[in-house]
Amino acid sequence: MDVLSDVVAFMRTGRPVSSRVSWRAPWGRAFPTTPGSAGFHVVLRGSCWLLPEAGEPVRLGVGDVVFLPHGDGFGLADDPSTPLTKSDCGPHSELFSSAGFEGEGAETVILSCGYRTAPDRIHPILGSLPAVIHLPAKLGCQPELRSAVQLLAGEIENPRPGADTVVSSLLDMLQLYILRAWFEGDDEPCTLSGWAAALADPAIGRALNAIHCEPGRRWTVESLGAHAGLSRAGFARRFTALVGQAPLAYLTWWRLASAARMLRESDASVAEVAERVGYTSEFAFGNAFKREFGVPPGRYRRCAAVA
């Protein structure tokens, strides 16, 4: 798997949820800050305004996508001057649902999708994102993102056999397209910074993909540099400048994050998990894991099972 694919697979806990909501003006809803969550909203019909907690109102039109990666509070309304009422679309467990709120004015239809995140699953890529990402619809731009939106909206509006699998897969696909659109953007590679620049940099991108594909390999700065096609010193400087961590520090973090996922989602023994992520000693793995997560691997697995 490449880095973005890993991020999408790694960051969510439990099933995503989604809903197709029809609003008729005048309407305005306030959605409170929800730590440990992320979500995105797509305007399928009509228009509305996004009212972030910080910053100016943002007008949204058909096809516009808004991603809130950190669970910050926001409002949605037909007009910035419309009073906001507390959202009565509370947390629900359905993979997908539909709702309508009748009024007398113009209709706006919004596709909303959300999922829970856990602190130990927050990849630095997500941490680098702003509170609100607005991807306006542009003719001819991001056709894959637009196609995924249409497919998802169709499945939610008219569920058919197999819809659970289709919707779940489309939500992951849409999330990936949103991240890809944001990181690719319209900027030239030389103007990018941070993770956007790291993913756009061919050499650092090769090294990151190598780490993600083979976290258990006995990587060194020299071997990663050779994989990237750079000298040891040049690679270490460029990687640290773009990623924000030294190569082996990021490798260690990803190994332990991958181990945590295996402990949650597989029956592999602690010794097997340690070996898969590159530790020759279960004792060394246990110490490193406890430093990162605060508890030994076995206790982490037990706590995850009852969460």
Side-chain angles (χ1 to χ4, degrees):
M1 297 178 76
D2 60 47
V3 180
L4 282 186
S5 297
D6 267 340
V7 170
V8 170
F10 178 77
M11 63 187 175
R12 192 177 68 228
T13 175
R15 294 203 316 168
V17 294
S18 59
S19 61
R20 179 186 180 277
V21 183
S22 171
W23 311 87
R24 287 196 174 274
W27 62 273
R29 293 292 188 275
F31 299 85
T33 298
T34 309
S37 69
F40 48 91
H41 309 271
V42 187
V43 179
L44 301 179
R45 186 183 307 157
S47 63
C48 64
W49 289 82
L50 172 76
L51 308 171
E53 287 189 334
E56 296 299 315
V58 180
R59 191 178 191 280
L60 305 178
V62 173
D64 281 15
V65 178
V66 174
F67 178 41
L68 297 102
H70 311 305
D72 294 78
F74 66 99
L76 287 173
D78 67 306
D79 187 271
S81 63
T82 301
L84 302 181
T85 59
K86 184 177 179 181
S87 171
D88 46 11
C89 300
H92 54 87
S93 59
E94 294 85 358
L95 177 60
F96 56 92
S97 61
S98 296
F101 298 88
E102 293 299 329
E104 298 180 356
E107 182 187 34
T108 298
V109 179
I110 297 176
L111 174 65
S112 297
C113 311
Y115 50 87
R116 303 293 300 175
T117 60
D120 60 340
R121 302 193 192 192
I122 301 301
H123 191 280
I125 282 182
L126 288 186
S128 72
L129 298 177
V132 177
I133 291 176
H134 175 213
L135 300 174
K138 296 180 182 179
L139 186 63
C141 292
Q142 304 298 334
E144 302 91 349
L145 175 59
R146 309 304 162 193
S147 296
V149 167
Q150 291 177 355
L151 289 170
L152 184 56
E155 286 292 333
I156 293 175
E157 186 171 8
N158 183 29
R160 288 169 289 174
D164 278 18
T165 299
V166 173
V167 169
S168 183
S169 298
L170 284 172
L171 287 171
D172 280 349
M173 185 186 301
L174 188 54
Q175 178 68 82
L176 182 55
Y177 285 144
I178 289 172
L179 290 174
R180 182 189 289 176
W182 172 253
F183 282 112
E184 289 179 351
D186 297 323
D187 295 318
E188 295 296 326
C190 61
T191 68
L192 301 175
S193 61
W195 273 95
L199 295 176
D201 186 292
I204 301 306
R206 283 195 296 271
L208 284 168
N209 285 336
I211 289 172
H212 279 248
C213 287
E214 298 183 89
R217 185 168 169 176
R218 294 185 181 180
W219 294 109
T220 63
V221 176
E222 186 173 2
S223 64
L224 284 169
H227 196 83
L230 298 171
S231 69
R232 182 186 185 280
F235 165 72
R237 284 195 299 270
R238 188 185 299 185
F239 189 101
T240 304
L242 295 180
V243 174
Q245 289 179 284
L248 296 189
Y250 180 78
L251 171 63
T252 298
W253 180 86
W254 181 245
R255 282 175 169 172
L256 295 173
S258 299
R261 184 182 180 189
M262 291 183 206
L263 290 168
R264 290 190 305 267
E265 300 177 3
S266 78
D267 295 327
S269 68
V270 172
E272 290 172 327
V273 170
E275 183 178 0
R276 290 181 191 178
V277 297
Y279 285 84
T280 56
S281 162
E282 184 178 343
F283 178 77
F285 167 69
N287 284 337
F289 191 93
K290 186 175 181 179
R291 281 196 301 271
E292 180 67 27
F293 293 100
V295 295
R299 185 182 301 174
Y300 179 90
R301 167 173 273 169
R302 290 190 295 273
C303 292
V306 300

